[in-house]
Amino acid sequence: MCRDCGCTLGPAVARAPLASVKPPAGRVETIEVITAILDENDRVAAHNREHFDGHGVLALNLMSSPGAGKTSLLEATIRALAGRLRVAVVEGDLATENDADRIRACGVPAVQVQTGNACHLDATMVHDALHELPLAGLDVLFIENVGNLVCPASFDLGQHRNVTLLSVPEGDDKPAKYPVMFRAADLTLLTKTDLLPYLTEFSPARARAALQQVGYGGETIELTSRGGEGFAAWLAWLDREVAAQRARTAQGRTARPNVQPEGALAHASARPAR
Amino acid sequence: MHELSVCQALIGQVERIARENGARRVVSVVVAVGPLSGVEPALLEHAYPIAAAGTVAEHASLTVEVMPVEVHCRKCGARGEARPNRIVCAACGEWQVDVISGEEMLLKRVEIETDALAAS
């Protein structure tokens, strides 16, 4: 029952049939515009990014299918970083406070955004959540997006980096099925690798090849949230990103995720926006 | 299924443009969408009348221009089309390519009807 596709909307809300397109009666003017459709979201996202940069906070957007292990990864990460980096989490789910409760149990602040029937977080939802967080005392803000490999990729939240999880039970061809999501990643984590001995049909090499085919040029780390070498590599990546964000903040610069929404604008024939 | 959100953002922009240009109503809206934007043209067309209902764009037509995925090869310099899940050079097979088209999610053009009396 998705709010977004309108599938529950009954006849009370008129879907204008093609016949209702009225021929013009008065003077018709054509206005050439070339702007991103999500211009307003992008504006709020830029505002969020200024908030993060103003406080020297690194913001990471975690995306994956439901059940790929985002919250488990965060629980293990928060415990590993305790006393070293100050962390907070914005949790996005359609319903329940479950994930925020799990994060709070690890001793860090968490805000739960309940999106109702919306399939993704947008910049305004994150902005509203920020008002409930002590940004000034933070090093890293994790934004755990709604579990969904489609919609979250289209909405900039103001994050500096996208981290996408692909868990072993999902299959190694996920990047080929959901190219837009995996292209948007700055870091890909192959999670639940402790299941590899049981799910022998999953090949990390094939997953890496599928990532390459969708134009993904970032790092890929194989890990389990239960610890080990891969998990240490993830913590090392976080340390590098925190250091990079501090260096950028000191120089008054910022960073954007791999796929930049303006990229498309640059490719369109340039016309002044009205 | 985020196309209704996208359409609501689109209508917000169209309403602003209509207001700024003194439109009586909007006649047509043209958008450009690439397969790498994450938006499905058919779903956009379905969601559009729902988002437009009750607005100045209620009776406007929507045209979705679907852009091809085009890449420029960093190795051989060729320019050609690619598939969304196989973003490689069509000429030499290299994967280190720059996407030059296919990410678009743009509002391109709005046709409005203005008050003929006021205009003359």
Short mmCIF file of all heavy atoms in Angstrom, two decimals, chain A residues 3-4 20 22-37 39 120 151 154 176 179 183 212-214 264-265 267 274, chain B residues 1-2 4-6 13 21 24-25 36-37 49-50 59 84-87 95 99-100 103-114 119:
data_model
loop_
_atom_site.label_atom_id
_atom_site.label_comp_id
_atom_site.label_asym_id
_atom_site.label_seq_id
_atom_site.Cartn_x
_atom_site.Cartn_y
_atom_site.Cartn_z
N ARG A 3 2.13 4.93 -0.65
CA ARG A 3 1.63 6.29 -0.83
C ARG A 3 2.15 6.87 -2.14
O ARG A 3 1.48 7.62 -2.82
CB ARG A 3 2.14 7.15 0.33
CG ARG A 3 1.62 8.57 0.30
CD ARG A 3 2.33 9.44 1.30
NE ARG A 3 3.61 9.87 0.79
CZ ARG A 3 4.40 10.71 1.44
NH1 ARG A 3 4.08 11.15 2.61
NH2 ARG A 3 5.55 11.07 0.91
N ASP A 4 3.39 6.46 -2.48
CA ASP A 4 4.04 7.11 -3.60
C ASP A 4 3.49 6.78 -4.97
O ASP A 4 3.49 7.61 -5.85
CB ASP A 4 5.54 6.82 -3.57
CG ASP A 4 6.27 7.99 -2.96
OD1 ASP A 4 5.60 9.01 -2.73
OD2 ASP A 4 7.46 7.88 -2.71
N SER A 20 -8.85 15.07 -20.61
CA SER A 20 -9.06 16.30 -19.86
C SER A 20 -8.00 17.35 -20.17
O SER A 20 -8.06 18.46 -19.67
CB SER A 20 -9.09 16.02 -18.36
OG SER A 20 -7.76 15.96 -17.87
N LYS A 22 -6.73 20.24 -21.70
CA LYS A 22 -7.48 21.29 -22.40
C LYS A 22 -6.64 21.95 -23.48
O LYS A 22 -5.49 22.30 -23.22
CB LYS A 22 -7.87 22.38 -21.38
CG LYS A 22 -9.08 22.08 -20.56
CD LYS A 22 -9.47 23.38 -19.84
CE LYS A 22 -10.38 23.12 -18.67
NZ LYS A 22 -10.41 24.29 -17.78
N PRO A 23 -7.20 22.18 -24.65
CA PRO A 23 -6.46 22.97 -25.64
C PRO A 23 -6.41 24.43 -25.16
O PRO A 23 -7.35 24.89 -24.52
CB PRO A 23 -7.29 22.82 -26.92
CG PRO A 23 -8.66 22.46 -26.46
CD PRO A 23 -8.53 21.77 -25.14
N PRO A 24 -5.32 25.13 -25.44
CA PRO A 24 -5.20 26.49 -24.95
C PRO A 24 -6.24 27.43 -25.57
O PRO A 24 -6.55 27.32 -26.75
CB PRO A 24 -3.79 26.89 -25.35
CG PRO A 24 -3.37 25.92 -26.39
CD PRO A 24 -4.13 24.67 -26.16
N ALA A 25 -6.77 28.35 -24.76
CA ALA A 25 -7.74 29.32 -25.25
C ALA A 25 -7.10 30.70 -25.38
O ALA A 25 -7.41 31.45 -26.29
CB ALA A 25 -8.93 29.38 -24.30
N GLY A 26 -6.18 31.02 -24.47
CA GLY A 26 -5.57 32.35 -24.48
C GLY A 26 -4.22 32.34 -25.18
O GLY A 26 -3.95 31.50 -26.03
N ARG A 27 -3.35 33.27 -24.80
CA ARG A 27 -2.03 33.38 -25.39
C ARG A 27 -1.10 32.36 -24.72
O ARG A 27 -1.09 32.25 -23.49
CB ARG A 27 -1.48 34.79 -25.17
CG ARG A 27 -0.45 35.22 -26.19
CD ARG A 27 -0.25 36.72 -26.04
NE ARG A 27 0.35 37.03 -24.74
CZ ARG A 27 1.65 37.22 -24.55
NH1 ARG A 27 2.49 37.12 -25.55
NH2 ARG A 27 2.12 37.52 -23.35
N VAL A 28 -0.34 31.61 -25.51
CA VAL A 28 0.53 30.59 -24.95
C VAL A 28 1.99 31.02 -25.02
O VAL A 28 2.45 31.53 -26.04
CB VAL A 28 0.33 29.24 -25.69
CG1 VAL A 28 1.36 28.22 -25.22
CG2 VAL A 28 -1.07 28.71 -25.43
N GLU A 29 2.67 30.87 -23.93
CA GLU A 29 4.08 31.26 -23.83
C GLU A 29 4.89 30.02 -23.46
O GLU A 29 4.45 29.23 -22.62
CB GLU A 29 4.21 32.23 -22.65
CG GLU A 29 4.74 33.59 -23.00
CD GLU A 29 4.83 34.42 -21.73
OE1 GLU A 29 5.86 34.33 -21.04
OE2 GLU A 29 3.83 35.12 -21.42
N THR A 30 6.05 29.84 -24.09
CA THR A 30 6.90 28.72 -23.73
C THR A 30 8.05 29.23 -22.88
O THR A 30 8.72 30.19 -23.25
CB THR A 30 7.45 28.04 -24.99
OG1 THR A 30 6.34 27.62 -25.77
CG2 THR A 30 8.30 26.84 -24.65
N ILE A 31 8.24 28.61 -21.74
CA ILE A 31 9.32 29.02 -20.84
C ILE A 31 10.35 27.90 -20.77
O ILE A 31 10.02 26.78 -20.37
CB ILE A 31 8.77 29.34 -19.44
CG1 ILE A 31 7.76 30.49 -19.56
CG2 ILE A 31 9.89 29.71 -18.49
CD1 ILE A 31 6.86 30.62 -18.38
N GLU A 32 11.56 28.19 -21.21
CA GLU A 32 12.63 27.20 -21.18
C GLU A 32 13.25 27.23 -19.79
O GLU A 32 13.65 28.28 -19.29
CB GLU A 32 13.71 27.55 -22.23
CG GLU A 32 13.20 27.57 -23.66
CD GLU A 32 12.89 26.18 -24.21
OE1 GLU A 32 13.31 25.19 -23.59
OE2 GLU A 32 12.22 26.11 -25.26
N VAL A 33 13.29 26.10 -19.18
CA VAL A 33 13.89 25.98 -17.84
C VAL A 33 14.85 24.80 -17.94
O VAL A 33 14.54 23.87 -18.64
CB VAL A 33 12.85 25.55 -16.77
CG1 VAL A 33 13.08 26.22 -15.47
CG2 VAL A 33 11.43 25.68 -17.25
N ILE A 34 15.96 24.83 -17.29
CA ILE A 34 16.71 23.58 -17.13
C ILE A 34 17.08 23.53 -15.66
O ILE A 34 18.08 24.08 -15.25
CB ILE A 34 17.98 23.51 -18.02
CG1 ILE A 34 17.64 23.55 -19.52
CG2 ILE A 34 18.80 22.27 -17.68
CD1 ILE A 34 17.36 22.22 -20.17
N THR A 35 16.23 22.90 -14.87
CA THR A 35 16.55 22.76 -13.45
C THR A 35 16.30 21.33 -13.03
O THR A 35 15.49 20.64 -13.62
CB THR A 35 15.68 23.67 -12.55
OG1 THR A 35 14.32 23.42 -12.85
CG2 THR A 35 15.99 25.14 -12.76
N ALA A 36 17.02 20.90 -12.01
CA ALA A 36 16.81 19.57 -11.46
C ALA A 36 15.39 19.53 -10.90
O ALA A 36 14.96 20.47 -10.23
CB ALA A 36 17.82 19.28 -10.37
N ILE A 37 14.66 18.46 -11.17
CA ILE A 37 13.30 18.34 -10.65
C ILE A 37 13.32 18.36 -9.13
O ILE A 37 12.45 18.93 -8.49
CB ILE A 37 12.62 17.04 -11.18
CG1 ILE A 37 12.40 17.17 -12.70
CG2 ILE A 37 11.31 16.77 -10.46
CD1 ILE A 37 11.82 15.93 -13.35
N ASP A 39 15.15 20.05 -7.24
CA ASP A 39 15.82 21.28 -6.86
C ASP A 39 15.61 21.66 -5.39
O ASP A 39 16.56 22.01 -4.68
CB ASP A 39 15.24 22.40 -7.76
CG ASP A 39 16.22 23.52 -7.96
OD1 ASP A 39 17.42 23.22 -7.94
OD2 ASP A 39 15.78 24.67 -8.12
N HIS A 120 11.74 6.24 1.24
CA HIS A 120 13.10 6.79 1.28
C HIS A 120 13.12 7.95 2.26
O HIS A 120 12.07 8.50 2.60
CB HIS A 120 13.47 7.32 -0.11
CG HIS A 120 12.49 8.37 -0.59
ND1 HIS A 120 11.35 8.04 -1.30
CD2 HIS A 120 12.45 9.71 -0.42
CE1 HIS A 120 10.66 9.14 -1.55
NE2 HIS A 120 11.30 10.17 -1.02
N CYS A 151 14.69 3.69 -4.35
CA CYS A 151 14.36 5.11 -4.17
C CYS A 151 15.41 5.95 -3.43
O CYS A 151 15.67 7.08 -3.84
CB CYS A 151 13.02 5.24 -3.48
SG CYS A 151 11.79 4.11 -4.16
N SER A 154 18.01 8.36 -5.19
CA SER A 154 17.67 9.57 -5.94
C SER A 154 17.63 10.83 -5.08
O SER A 154 17.47 11.93 -5.61
CB SER A 154 16.32 9.40 -6.64
OG SER A 154 16.38 8.34 -7.57
N ALA A 176 23.95 -5.72 -10.61
CA ALA A 176 23.43 -5.72 -11.99
C ALA A 176 21.93 -5.46 -12.00
O ALA A 176 21.40 -4.87 -12.93
CB ALA A 176 23.73 -7.06 -12.64
N PRO A 179 21.42 -1.13 -10.61
CA PRO A 179 22.62 -0.38 -10.97
C PRO A 179 22.66 1.04 -10.40
O PRO A 179 23.73 1.52 -10.02
CB PRO A 179 22.61 -0.36 -12.50
CG PRO A 179 21.22 -0.70 -12.90
CD PRO A 179 20.66 -1.57 -11.81
N ARG A 183 25.84 2.36 -8.24
CA ARG A 183 26.65 3.42 -8.85
C ARG A 183 26.83 4.58 -7.87
O ARG A 183 27.81 5.32 -7.94
CB ARG A 183 25.93 3.99 -10.08
CG ARG A 183 26.23 3.31 -11.36
CD ARG A 183 25.69 4.12 -12.49
NE ARG A 183 26.61 5.14 -12.91
CZ ARG A 183 26.36 6.43 -12.93
NH1 ARG A 183 25.21 6.89 -12.55
NH2 ARG A 183 27.27 7.27 -13.33
N GLN A 212 31.78 -3.44 -10.91
CA GLN A 212 32.59 -2.76 -11.93
C GLN A 212 31.76 -2.47 -13.17
O GLN A 212 31.88 -1.41 -13.78
CB GLN A 212 33.78 -3.65 -12.29
CG GLN A 212 34.95 -2.89 -12.86
CD GLN A 212 36.10 -3.82 -13.16
OE1 GLN A 212 36.02 -4.64 -14.07
NE2 GLN A 212 37.15 -3.72 -12.38
N GLN A 213 30.88 -3.42 -13.52
CA GLN A 213 30.06 -3.27 -14.72
C GLN A 213 29.07 -2.11 -14.63
O GLN A 213 28.62 -1.60 -15.64
CB GLN A 213 29.29 -4.56 -15.00
CG GLN A 213 30.17 -5.74 -15.36
CD GLN A 213 30.64 -5.68 -16.80
OE1 GLN A 213 29.84 -5.63 -17.72
NE2 GLN A 213 31.95 -5.66 -17.00
N VAL A 214 28.68 -1.72 -13.41
CA VAL A 214 27.74 -0.60 -13.29
C VAL A 214 28.50 0.72 -13.09
O VAL A 214 27.91 1.75 -12.77
CB VAL A 214 26.69 -0.79 -12.16
CG1 VAL A 214 25.86 -2.02 -12.44
CG2 VAL A 214 27.33 -0.86 -10.78
N ALA A 264 24.11 15.76 -13.96
CA ALA A 264 23.15 15.71 -15.07
C ALA A 264 22.89 17.10 -15.63
O ALA A 264 22.73 17.28 -16.83
CB ALA A 264 21.86 15.07 -14.60
N LEU A 265 22.87 18.08 -14.73
CA LEU A 265 22.62 19.46 -15.18
C LEU A 265 23.69 19.93 -16.14
O LEU A 265 23.41 20.57 -17.14
CB LEU A 265 22.62 20.40 -13.97
CG LEU A 265 21.32 20.56 -13.23
CD1 LEU A 265 21.53 21.47 -12.04
CD2 LEU A 265 20.24 21.13 -14.13
N HIS A 267 25.30 18.27 -18.14
CA HIS A 267 25.23 17.61 -19.44
C HIS A 267 24.12 18.16 -20.32
O HIS A 267 24.10 17.95 -21.50
CB HIS A 267 25.03 16.11 -19.26
CG HIS A 267 26.10 15.49 -18.40
ND1 HIS A 267 25.84 14.48 -17.53
CD2 HIS A 267 27.40 15.78 -18.27
CE1 HIS A 267 26.95 14.17 -16.89
NE2 HIS A 267 27.91 14.94 -17.33
N ARG A 274 14.95 30.16 -15.02
CA ARG A 274 14.15 31.33 -14.69
C ARG A 274 13.71 31.25 -13.25
O ARG A 274 13.36 30.19 -12.79
CB ARG A 274 12.89 31.36 -15.56
CG ARG A 274 13.18 31.46 -17.03
CD ARG A 274 13.13 32.88 -17.55
NE ARG A 274 11.88 33.54 -17.25
CZ ARG A 274 11.02 33.93 -18.20
NH1 ARG A 274 11.26 33.70 -19.45
NH2 ARG A 274 9.93 34.58 -17.86
N MET B 1 9.39 3.24 -6.12
CA MET B 1 8.08 3.87 -6.17
C MET B 1 8.11 5.24 -5.52
O MET B 1 7.28 5.55 -4.68
CB MET B 1 7.07 2.98 -5.45
CG MET B 1 6.74 1.72 -6.21
SD MET B 1 6.07 2.07 -7.83
CE MET B 1 5.00 0.66 -8.02
N HIS B 2 9.12 6.03 -5.88
CA HIS B 2 9.22 7.37 -5.31
C HIS B 2 8.77 8.40 -6.32
O HIS B 2 9.00 9.58 -6.16
CB HIS B 2 10.65 7.65 -4.85
CG HIS B 2 11.66 7.42 -5.92
ND1 HIS B 2 11.84 6.19 -6.53
CD2 HIS B 2 12.53 8.24 -6.50
CE1 HIS B 2 12.78 6.29 -7.44
NE2 HIS B 2 13.22 7.52 -7.45
N LEU B 4 5.85 9.56 -7.07
CA LEU B 4 4.89 10.59 -6.64
C LEU B 4 5.63 11.72 -5.94
O LEU B 4 5.33 12.89 -6.16
CB LEU B 4 3.79 10.00 -5.76
CG LEU B 4 2.66 10.99 -5.41
CD1 LEU B 4 1.96 11.51 -6.66
CD2 LEU B 4 1.64 10.38 -4.48
N SER B 5 6.64 11.37 -5.11
CA SER B 5 7.45 12.41 -4.47
C SER B 5 8.12 13.29 -5.52
O SER B 5 8.17 14.51 -5.40
CB SER B 5 8.56 11.80 -3.60
OG SER B 5 8.01 11.01 -2.59
N VAL B 6 8.65 12.63 -6.56
CA VAL B 6 9.33 13.37 -7.63
C VAL B 6 8.33 14.28 -8.34
O VAL B 6 8.60 15.45 -8.62
CB VAL B 6 10.01 12.40 -8.62
CG1 VAL B 6 10.53 13.13 -9.85
CG2 VAL B 6 11.16 11.65 -7.93
N GLN B 13 7.67 23.15 -8.60
CA GLN B 13 8.45 24.04 -9.49
C GLN B 13 7.58 24.66 -10.57
O GLN B 13 7.71 25.84 -10.89
CB GLN B 13 9.57 23.23 -10.17
CG GLN B 13 10.74 22.96 -9.28
CD GLN B 13 12.00 22.75 -10.11
OE1 GLN B 13 12.19 23.41 -11.13
NE2 GLN B 13 12.84 21.84 -9.68
N ASN B 21 5.19 33.98 -13.82
CA ASN B 21 4.94 34.45 -15.18
C ASN B 21 3.48 34.80 -15.42
O ASN B 21 3.07 34.98 -16.56
CB ASN B 21 5.41 33.39 -16.19
CG ASN B 21 6.93 33.25 -16.20
OD1 ASN B 21 7.61 34.03 -16.84
ND2 ASN B 21 7.45 32.30 -15.44
N ARG B 24 -2.39 31.80 -16.41
CA ARG B 24 -3.76 31.47 -16.05
C ARG B 24 -3.82 29.96 -15.79
O ARG B 24 -4.51 29.49 -14.91
CB ARG B 24 -4.67 31.85 -17.21
CG ARG B 24 -6.12 31.89 -16.87
CD ARG B 24 -6.87 32.77 -17.82
NE ARG B 24 -6.78 32.26 -19.19
CZ ARG B 24 -7.32 32.87 -20.24
NH1 ARG B 24 -7.94 34.03 -20.07
NH2 ARG B 24 -7.21 32.36 -21.44
N ARG B 25 -3.10 29.23 -16.62
CA ARG B 25 -2.96 27.80 -16.40
C ARG B 25 -1.75 27.29 -17.17
O ARG B 25 -1.22 27.99 -18.04
CB ARG B 25 -4.23 27.04 -16.82
CG ARG B 25 -4.45 27.01 -18.31
CD ARG B 25 -5.74 26.28 -18.65
NE ARG B 25 -5.85 26.07 -20.08
CZ ARG B 25 -5.45 24.97 -20.72
NH1 ARG B 25 -4.91 23.97 -20.04
NH2 ARG B 25 -5.56 24.87 -22.02
N LEU B 36 19.61 6.32 -15.41
CA LEU B 36 20.46 6.28 -14.21
C LEU B 36 19.98 7.25 -13.12
O LEU B 36 20.61 7.38 -12.09
CB LEU B 36 21.91 6.60 -14.59
CG LEU B 36 22.54 5.62 -15.58
CD1 LEU B 36 23.94 6.07 -15.96
CD2 LEU B 36 22.59 4.22 -14.99
N SER B 37 18.85 7.92 -13.36
CA SER B 37 18.32 8.84 -12.35
C SER B 37 17.53 8.07 -11.29
O SER B 37 17.24 8.61 -10.22
CB SER B 37 17.39 9.85 -13.01
OG SER B 37 16.20 9.22 -13.45
N PRO B 49 -0.77 12.95 -12.91
CA PRO B 49 -2.11 13.51 -12.73
C PRO B 49 -2.51 13.61 -11.27
O PRO B 49 -3.26 14.51 -10.89
CB PRO B 49 -3.03 12.51 -13.46
CG PRO B 49 -2.14 11.69 -14.32
CD PRO B 49 -0.79 11.69 -13.70
N ILE B 50 -2.00 12.69 -10.44
CA ILE B 50 -2.35 12.71 -9.01
C ILE B 50 -1.71 13.93 -8.35
O ILE B 50 -2.34 14.66 -7.58
CB ILE B 50 -1.88 11.41 -8.32
CG1 ILE B 50 -2.57 10.21 -8.96
CG2 ILE B 50 -2.13 11.46 -6.81
CD1 ILE B 50 -1.96 8.87 -8.61
N HIS B 59 -4.62 20.49 -15.89
CA HIS B 59 -4.98 20.01 -17.23
C HIS B 59 -3.81 20.09 -18.21
O HIS B 59 -4.02 20.12 -19.41
CB HIS B 59 -6.19 20.79 -17.74
CG HIS B 59 -7.40 20.61 -16.89
ND1 HIS B 59 -8.12 19.43 -16.88
CD2 HIS B 59 -7.99 21.42 -15.98
CE1 HIS B 59 -9.11 19.54 -16.00
NE2 HIS B 59 -9.05 20.74 -15.44
N PRO B 84 22.23 0.38 -18.53
CA PRO B 84 22.39 0.84 -17.15
C PRO B 84 23.22 -0.10 -16.28
O PRO B 84 23.92 0.35 -15.37
CB PRO B 84 20.95 0.93 -16.64
CG PRO B 84 20.13 1.12 -17.87
CD PRO B 84 20.83 0.38 -18.97
N ASN B 85 23.14 -1.41 -16.52
CA ASN B 85 23.92 -2.33 -15.68
C ASN B 85 25.15 -2.85 -16.41
O ASN B 85 25.76 -3.84 -16.00
CB ASN B 85 23.05 -3.47 -15.17
CG ASN B 85 22.47 -4.31 -16.30
OD1 ASN B 85 22.71 -4.02 -17.47
ND2 ASN B 85 21.73 -5.33 -15.95
N ARG B 86 25.50 -2.21 -17.49
CA ARG B 86 26.74 -2.56 -18.21
C ARG B 86 27.32 -1.27 -18.78
O ARG B 86 27.25 -1.00 -19.99
CB ARG B 86 26.42 -3.58 -19.31
CG ARG B 86 27.58 -4.53 -19.54
CD ARG B 86 27.25 -5.62 -20.53
NE ARG B 86 28.30 -5.72 -21.55
CZ ARG B 86 29.53 -6.12 -21.32
NH1 ARG B 86 29.91 -6.48 -20.12
NH2 ARG B 86 30.41 -6.17 -22.30
N ILE B 87 27.85 -0.48 -17.85
CA ILE B 87 28.34 0.85 -18.23
C ILE B 87 29.80 0.71 -18.66
O ILE B 87 30.73 0.98 -17.89
CB ILE B 87 28.15 1.84 -17.05
CG1 ILE B 87 26.66 1.87 -16.70
CG2 ILE B 87 28.62 3.24 -17.44
CD1 ILE B 87 26.30 2.75 -15.56
N TRP B 95 35.90 -0.41 -18.73
CA TRP B 95 34.87 0.02 -17.78
C TRP B 95 35.17 1.41 -17.19
O TRP B 95 34.31 2.02 -16.57
CB TRP B 95 34.67 -1.01 -16.68
CG TRP B 95 35.85 -1.18 -15.77
CD1 TRP B 95 36.93 -1.99 -15.99
CD2 TRP B 95 36.09 -0.51 -14.53
NE1 TRP B 95 37.82 -1.87 -14.97
CE2 TRP B 95 37.34 -0.98 -14.05
CE3 TRP B 95 35.38 0.42 -13.78
CZ2 TRP B 95 37.89 -0.51 -12.85
CZ3 TRP B 95 35.92 0.87 -12.59
CH2 TRP B 95 37.17 0.40 -12.13
N VAL B 99 30.23 8.90 -17.68
CA VAL B 99 28.84 8.93 -18.15
C VAL B 99 28.54 10.36 -18.59
O VAL B 99 28.66 11.29 -17.81
CB VAL B 99 27.89 8.47 -17.02
CG1 VAL B 99 26.44 8.69 -17.43
CG2 VAL B 99 28.13 7.01 -16.70
N ILE B 100 28.17 10.52 -19.86
CA ILE B 100 27.87 11.88 -20.33
C ILE B 100 26.37 12.12 -20.50
O ILE B 100 25.93 13.25 -20.61
CB ILE B 100 28.63 12.21 -21.65
CG1 ILE B 100 28.43 11.10 -22.68
CG2 ILE B 100 30.12 12.40 -21.37
CD1 ILE B 100 29.12 11.40 -23.99
N GLU B 103 21.84 10.41 -16.57
CA GLU B 103 21.57 10.70 -15.15
C GLU B 103 20.52 11.79 -14.98
O GLU B 103 20.20 12.16 -13.86
CB GLU B 103 22.86 11.16 -14.47
CG GLU B 103 23.92 10.09 -14.39
CD GLU B 103 25.24 10.61 -13.85
OE1 GLU B 103 25.52 11.81 -14.02
OE2 GLU B 103 25.98 9.81 -13.27
N GLU B 104 19.98 12.29 -16.08
CA GLU B 104 19.11 13.47 -16.02
C GLU B 104 17.80 13.22 -15.25
O GLU B 104 17.20 12.16 -15.36
CB GLU B 104 18.72 13.93 -17.44
CG GLU B 104 19.88 14.33 -18.33
CD GLU B 104 20.57 13.14 -19.00
OE1 GLU B 104 20.19 11.98 -18.74
OE2 GLU B 104 21.50 13.39 -19.78
N MET B 105 17.41 14.20 -14.49
CA MET B 105 16.06 14.26 -13.90
C MET B 105 15.71 15.75 -13.90
O MET B 105 15.78 16.41 -12.87
CB MET B 105 16.05 13.69 -12.48
CG MET B 105 14.65 13.27 -12.01
SD MET B 105 14.51 13.23 -10.23
CE MET B 105 15.61 11.90 -9.81
N LEU B 106 15.40 16.25 -15.09
CA LEU B 106 15.32 17.70 -15.29
C LEU B 106 13.96 18.17 -15.75
O LEU B 106 13.29 17.50 -16.55
CB LEU B 106 16.34 18.13 -16.37
CG LEU B 106 17.81 17.79 -16.14
CD1 LEU B 106 18.59 18.10 -17.41
CD2 LEU B 106 18.35 18.60 -14.98
N LEU B 107 13.59 19.35 -15.27
CA LEU B 107 12.45 20.06 -15.84
C LEU B 107 13.02 20.91 -16.98
O LEU B 107 13.93 21.72 -16.76
CB LEU B 107 11.80 20.95 -14.78
CG LEU B 107 10.76 21.95 -15.30
CD1 LEU B 107 9.62 21.25 -16.02
CD2 LEU B 107 10.20 22.78 -14.14
N LYS B 108 12.55 20.69 -18.21
CA LYS B 108 13.12 21.38 -19.36
C LYS B 108 12.30 22.58 -19.83
O LYS B 108 12.84 23.60 -20.20
CB LYS B 108 13.26 20.40 -20.54
CG LYS B 108 14.44 19.48 -20.44
CD LYS B 108 14.59 18.64 -21.69
CE LYS B 108 15.12 19.42 -22.87
NZ LYS B 108 15.36 18.54 -24.05
N ARG B 109 10.99 22.40 -19.88
CA ARG B 109 10.17 23.41 -20.54
C ARG B 109 8.76 23.43 -19.96
O ARG B 109 8.21 22.37 -19.62
CB ARG B 109 10.08 23.06 -22.03
CG ARG B 109 9.66 24.18 -22.93
CD ARG B 109 9.77 23.76 -24.39
NE ARG B 109 11.10 23.29 -24.72
CZ ARG B 109 11.38 22.09 -25.27
NH1 ARG B 109 10.42 21.25 -25.54
NH2 ARG B 109 12.61 21.76 -25.53
N VAL B 110 8.20 24.61 -19.83
CA VAL B 110 6.83 24.75 -19.36
C VAL B 110 6.10 25.67 -20.33
O VAL B 110 6.60 26.75 -20.65
CB VAL B 110 6.78 25.36 -17.93
CG1 VAL B 110 5.35 25.48 -17.45
CG2 VAL B 110 7.58 24.51 -16.96
N GLU B 111 4.97 25.23 -20.81
CA GLU B 111 4.14 26.07 -21.67
C GLU B 111 2.99 26.59 -20.84
O GLU B 111 2.28 25.79 -20.21
CB GLU B 111 3.58 25.22 -22.82
CG GLU B 111 3.98 25.72 -24.19
CD GLU B 111 3.28 24.89 -25.26
OE1 GLU B 111 2.76 23.80 -24.98
OE2 GLU B 111 3.27 25.35 -26.39
N ILE B 112 2.80 27.89 -20.83
CA ILE B 112 1.73 28.45 -20.00
C ILE B 112 0.76 29.26 -20.86
O ILE B 112 1.13 29.75 -21.93
CB ILE B 112 2.28 29.36 -18.88
CG1 ILE B 112 3.17 30.46 -19.46
CG2 ILE B 112 3.02 28.55 -17.83
CD1 ILE B 112 3.46 31.58 -18.51
N GLU B 113 -0.46 29.37 -20.36
CA GLU B 113 -1.45 30.22 -21.03
C GLU B 113 -1.61 31.44 -20.14
O GLU B 113 -1.88 31.33 -18.94
CB GLU B 113 -2.76 29.45 -21.13
CG GLU B 113 -3.80 30.13 -21.98
CD GLU B 113 -5.13 29.38 -21.93
OE1 GLU B 113 -5.13 28.16 -22.16
OE2 GLU B 113 -6.14 30.01 -21.62
N THR B 114 -1.40 32.60 -20.75
CA THR B 114 -1.55 33.83 -19.98
C THR B 114 -2.86 34.50 -20.37
O THR B 114 -3.48 34.15 -21.36
CB THR B 114 -0.38 34.80 -20.22
OG1 THR B 114 -0.24 34.98 -21.62
CG2 THR B 114 0.91 34.27 -19.64
N ALA B 119 -2.39 40.74 -21.84
CA ALA B 119 -1.18 40.73 -22.67
C ALA B 119 -1.30 41.74 -23.81
O ALA B 119 -0.31 42.27 -24.27
CB ALA B 119 -0.95 39.34 -23.23
#
